């Protein structure tokens, strides 16, 4: 059974920081990413990483504020979020796949976590 379990979400004030963790198990993960979705909005890619090379992709909306990293031995990826803004409020989902592909292509991910809520107050 492949599982992705997110943690680290919570409520913070604007300007604060949070670190999200996605712990994977049951497979080798070539590609891992974070997506987010707010009520009434489409799900969007936030950050992705190829685990072998460390190559990353960061959405323009969070560039300079968010950083993605991974611990391959633990099959875990992290999303470090700083300078949080109210518009960052969303449910954040971890996605992963055993093969290469587009980091922000939702249809090319095989597995998804249940999500963790991030709420940023003004």
């Amino acid at each position: 059974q492949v599982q992705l379990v997110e943690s680290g979400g919570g409520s913070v004030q604007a300007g604060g920081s949070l670190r999200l963790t996605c712990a994977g198990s049951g497979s080798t993960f070539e590609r891992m990413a974070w997506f987010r979705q707010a009520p009434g909005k489409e799900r969007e890619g936030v950050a992705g990483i190829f685990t072998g090379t460390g190559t990353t992709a960061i959405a323009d909306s969070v560039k300079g504020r968010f950083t993605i990293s991974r611990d391959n031995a633990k099959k875990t990826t992290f999303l470090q979020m700083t300078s949080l803004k109210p518009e960052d409020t969303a449910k954040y989902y971890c996605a992963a796949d055993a093969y290469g592909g587009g980091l922000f292509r939702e249809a090319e991910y095989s597995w998804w976590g249940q999500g963790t809520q991030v709420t940023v107050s003004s």
Side-chain angles (χ1 to χ4, degrees):
Q1 289 275 355
V2 174
Q3 291 187 318
L4 299 173
V5 181
E6 302 102 331
S7 62
S11 181
V12 298
Q13 293 185 329
S17 300
L18 285 173
R19 188 180 76 159
L20 306 184
T21 298
C22 174
S25 62
S27 181
T28 298
F29 304 112
E30 173 69 22
R31 177 167 41 97
M32 304 185 79
W34 291 93
F35 293 77
R36 68 184 183 186
Q37 186 169 29
K41 296 183 178 180
E42 294 184 338
R43 186 160 57 188
E44 62 176 342
V46 177
I49 187 167
F50 292 107
T51 63
T53 63
T55 300
T56 64
I58 307 293
D60 288 341
S61 60
V62 303
K63 192 169 295 181
R65 299 187 296 118
F66 291 11
T67 301
I68 188 170
S69 60
R70 87 298 194 190
D71 182 338
N72 288 345
K74 297 181 179 179
K75 299 182 184 294
T76 298
T77 187
F78 307 93
L79 184 67
Q80 180 65 53
M81 306 184 294
T82 62
S83 301
L84 283 162
K85 303 175 181 180
E87 50 262 48
D88 295 319
T89 295
K91 193 168 186 178
Y92 285 70
Y93 297 88
C94 179
D97 201 90
Y99 306 99
L103 287 176
F104 287 165
R105 291 182 177 269
E106 295 182 35
E108 296 181 6
Y109 283 94
S110 295
W111 305 295
W112 293 81
Q114 294 299 306
T116 185
Q117 180 68 37
V118 171
T119 301
V120 185
S121 62
S122 60

